[in-house]
Amino acid sequence: MKFILAFTLLAVDCVSALGPAAVNLRTAGNYAILAKTGISTVPKSVITGNIAVSPAAGSFLTGFSSTPPTTFSTSTQVKGQLFAADYNSPTPSVLTQAVLDLGTAIVDANGRTNGNIDARILTPGLYKWTSAVNIPTLLVFSGSARDTWILQVAGTLNLGSASQTLLIGGAVAKNIVWVVGGEISIGAGSSVSGILLGSTAATLKTGATLNGRILVQTAVALQKATVTQPK
């Protein structure tokens, strides 16, 4: 009996992941939201995880009513810490590296090749759209907790009001990477999962929910939104 159990555990542990190699976020992965030019909120948003702006100053963290900064500040809307480029050392250098790592992650994810772009139930793999992507109602990711997805969107990414991304079969948000060339718009009351890597701006409209991270190269605007950093 002990031999059979040991063999079973070994067999499960050896199952390999499907999909492309994971995108390494490096230190950018320490934040639920990371932006270069600003993060704004229309209270009350709920964010689980750290948020940061760089090279922007703390004055570009708007709507959070944050505490006076040291190396970080806090806010009742954030279950984590707030960081900005003008906070006390070593925060500026830490954020400079995080922004560089964000750029590296975007280049990495955009540089992958191959993939089927025409699917509503997405199995693990690499997907590429040369224009805008619109999700009016539902998108399903089907795979295990080990599997990965990379979705390259050359244009804008738009989720309609009350739309959702559904994870089945054990799929997890931290293994889904969206890399978007245009603006990201998450509609009111919608729910999306994954790591959003944006070359421009992102907006989460009223009541929108993200299970993942928003890491963009300009600004993030939250309108009574909820962002939960995946474990």
Side-chain angles (χ1 to χ4, degrees):
M1 180 64 71
K2 291 182 179 179
F3 175 79
I4 293 173
L5 178 59
F7 179 81
T8 302
L9 291 174
L10 179 61
V12 170
D13 191 57
C14 289
V15 173
S16 57
L18 301 175
V23 175
N24 187 350
L25 300 177
R26 298 176 174 82
T27 65
N30 293 332
Y31 307 93
I33 304 177
L34 174 63
K36 283 188 174 182
T37 62
I39 302 171
S40 64
T41 177
V42 176
K44 183 179 182 181
S45 295
V46 180
I47 303 159
T48 302
N50 298 326
I51 71 173
V53 290
S54 180
S59 58
F60 290 91
L61 291 166
T62 58
F64 290 98
S65 300
S66 56
T67 60
T70 54
T71 56
F72 64 90
S73 60
T74 61
S75 167
T76 57
Q77 297 181 70
V78 181
K79 297 177 181 178
Q81 298 173 336
L82 291 72
F83 300 91
D86 61 342
Y87 285 10
N88 293 349
S89 181
T91 297
S93 60
V94 170
L95 294 182
T96 296
Q97 186 60 54
V99 170
L100 290 173
D101 289 342
L102 167 58
T104 299
I106 290 173
V107 170
D108 177 14
N110 263 327
R112 309 295 180 89
T113 58
N114 199 14
N116 174 20
I117 67 169
D118 185 21
R120 289 181 178 268
I121 299 179
L122 303 184
T123 55
L126 175 65
Y127 298 84
K128 188 179 185 71
W129 289 264
T130 57
S131 58
V133 167
N134 300 300
I135 305 171
T137 56
L138 177 68
L139 181 65
V140 179
F141 294 90
S142 176
S144 76
R146 296 171 177 260
D147 296 335
T148 58
W149 293 257
I150 296 177
L151 303 103
Q152 301 173 350
V153 182
T156 58
L157 173 63
N158 304 291
L159 274 78
S161 297
S163 63
Q164 62 176 316
T165 56
L166 181 63
L167 309 184
I168 63 175
V172 293
K174 68 179 182 180
N175 290 339
I176 300 168
V177 175
W178 301 82
V179 54
V180 183
E183 292 189 3
I184 299 169
S185 177
I186 311 301
S190 63
S191 175
V192 62
S193 295
I195 311 302
L196 304 178
L197 301 179
S199 296
T200 59
T203 301
L204 275 72
K205 298 182 179 179
T206 303
T209 300
L210 169 67
N211 176 22
R213 306 176 193 271
I214 316 173
L215 312 174
V216 302
Q217 294 189 314
T218 58
V220 175
L222 308 173
Q223 301 171 4
K224 299 181 180 178
T226 299
V227 179
T228 303
Q229 176 177 300
K231 296 180 179 178

